[in-house]
């Protein structure tokens, strides 16, 4: 029997490639009791891939400087589900990236949110590219965003802002470290009752989610390489393949140094 996850959780929990902050929305909890089961990697999605007649399209875009810096989607990965309204393999302007970053921290506590918004206002992102990768097992998805800034210091400032924010919020637990990339940090977002409280809801109104969680494991990572800030958000069925996700991020960081490197 194939494993299934709730539609609302698969679609709505996975928000935040906008900078790592909007991992959860009120809609996630509000819609949890109305969710219907669906496969994470559906046959319809596979048919959609098959309709693309270009191997290049299946690997991801390479028609801009930023898109070339993202890892191509090669085995054991394929292009994954759409990332909100931006599609599964997109690019936006620097101005849009700034607004997206602000949206990503909408659920942060007020004091931390004010601090990170002030930081974002002082930065000048030049553009952002993002790509969704689905593992061939269909049991986990990794969303990667790459934001370019005008200076290495700006990318580092954004990275530190996210890292420090998650470290301050005790609900976010430390994740695995990356070999050879000491600056990169990964975190596990809240689950169960902590998740319900994080989005401003009363756990007593959502007893199943508060007690059993979402049924999905999640991890987010932030890292820099020169003038680029990279955010990885991964989600999948338990048990979560931590090593596969960290390896993907390690490869992405290496790819920024030597474009052309595959997964």
């Amino acid at each position: 029997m194939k494993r299934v996850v709730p539609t609302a959780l698969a679609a709505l929990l996975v928000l935040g490639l906008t900078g790592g902050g909007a991992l959860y929305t009120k809609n996630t909890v509000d819609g949890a009791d109305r969710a219907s089961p669906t496969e994470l990697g559906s046959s319809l999605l596979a048919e959609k891939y098959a309709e693309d007649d270009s191997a290049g399209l299946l690997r991801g875009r390479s028609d801009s400087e930023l898109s070339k810096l993202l890892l191509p989607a090669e085995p054991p990965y394929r292009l994954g589900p759409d990332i909100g309204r931006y599609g599964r393999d997109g690019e936006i302007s620097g101005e849009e990236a700034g607004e997206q970053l602000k949206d990503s921290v909408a659920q942060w506590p007020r004091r931390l949110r004010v601090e990170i918004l002030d930081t974002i206002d002082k930065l000048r992102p030049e553009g952002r590219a993002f790509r969704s990768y689905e593992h061939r097992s269909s049991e986990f998805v990794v969303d990667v965003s790459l934001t370019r800034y005008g200076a290495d210091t700006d990318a580092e400032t954004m990275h530190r802002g996210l890292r420090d924010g998650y470290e301050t919020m005790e609900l976010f637990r430390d994740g695995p470290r990356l070999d050879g990339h000491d600056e990169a940090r990964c975190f596990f977002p809240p689950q169960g009752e902590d998740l319900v409280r994080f989005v401003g809801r009363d756990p007593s109104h959502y007893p199943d989610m508060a007690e059993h969680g979402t049924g999905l494991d999640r991890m987010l990572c932030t890292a820099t390489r020169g003038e680029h800030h990279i955010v990885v958000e991964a989600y999948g069925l338990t048990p979560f393949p931590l090593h596969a996700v960290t390896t993907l991020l390690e490869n992405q960081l290496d790819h920024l140094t030597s474009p052309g490197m595959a997964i």
Side-chain angles (χ1 to χ4, degrees):
M1 179 181 296
K2 295 184 178 180
R3 303 171 72 178
V4 297
V5 297
T7 303
L9 299 180
L12 295 176
L13 270 174
V14 191
L15 303 175
L17 180 50
T18 57
L23 285 171
Y24 305 107
T25 67
K26 291 181 174 60
N27 290 337
T28 305
V29 177
D30 292 344
D33 59 350
R34 296 189 297 273
S36 59
T38 185
E39 292 181 26
L40 182 59
S42 67
S43 59
L44 291 177
L45 192 59
E47 291 173 6
K48 183 178 180 181
Y49 296 146
E51 291 173 359
D52 290 327
D53 58 2
S54 167
L57 288 178
L58 292 175
R59 297 172 72 247
R61 295 174 51 182
S62 59
D63 57 352
S64 70
E65 290 186 17
L66 278 182
S67 63
K68 290 178 182 177
L69 294 178
L70 288 172
L71 276 175
E74 296 183 339
Y77 296 94
R78 57 194 178 200
L79 288 178
D82 287 351
I83 304 169
R85 63 186 178 88
Y86 299 102
R88 56 183 177 171
D89 187 26
E91 188 171 334
I92 58 178
S93 68
E95 182 178 358
E96 290 176 297
E99 292 304 312
Q100 198 181 66
L101 286 167
K102 292 179 180 180
D103 289 343
S104 76
V105 297
Q107 299 293 336
W108 282 31
R110 185 180 184 281
R111 180 181 63 81
L112 294 175
R113 186 172 68 250
V114 169
E115 291 178 1
I116 193 70
L117 289 176
D118 182 61
T119 297
I120 293 171
D121 282 336
K122 294 176 181 177
L123 302 177
R124 293 291 182 269
E126 296 181 350
R128 165 174 276 199
F130 37 84
R131 183 166 295 158
S132 173
Y133 304 83
E134 181 180 12
H135 193 265
R136 63 188 174 194
S137 67
S138 296
E139 293 194 349
F140 70 95
V141 170
V142 183
D143 294 340
V144 177
S145 74
L146 185 152
T147 305
R148 171 178 285 166
Y149 291 89
D152 296 7
T153 53
D154 286 354
E156 178 64 24
T157 296
M158 191 63 222
H159 165 66
R160 287 200 310 268
L162 289 179
R163 180 199 65 195
D164 294 349
Y166 290 125
E167 287 179 343
T168 301
M169 288 185 282
E170 296 180 355
L171 293 177
F172 288 78
R173 296 172 290 115
D174 286 343
R177 303 301 289 265
L178 275 65
D179 293 336
H181 301 282
D182 293 338
E183 85 290 349
R185 294 298 306 278
C186 295
F187 299 91
F188 296 110
Q191 289 279 10
E193 182 174 336
D194 288 337
L195 164 60
V196 179
R197 293 188 186 281
F198 185 70
V199 297
R201 293 291 186 262
D202 185 344
S204 66
H205 295 166
Y206 305 90
D208 288 342
M209 179 176 285
E211 181 177 356
H212 303 294
T214 63
L216 295 176
D217 277 340
R218 319 188 42 72
M219 185 170 72
L220 64 91
C221 304
T222 173
T224 60
R225 180 54 56 91
E227 62 181 353
H228 300 101
H229 177 224
I230 302 93
V231 170
V232 167
E233 302 195 31
Y235 60 100
L237 299 167
T238 304
F240 196 59
L242 300 179
H243 180 69
V245 176
T246 56
T247 297
L248 186 88
L249 176 52
E250 290 169 0
N251 289 342
Q252 174 61 74
L253 292 169
D254 292 339
H255 182 71
L256 286 171
T257 302
S258 302
M261 173 184 173
I263 295 177

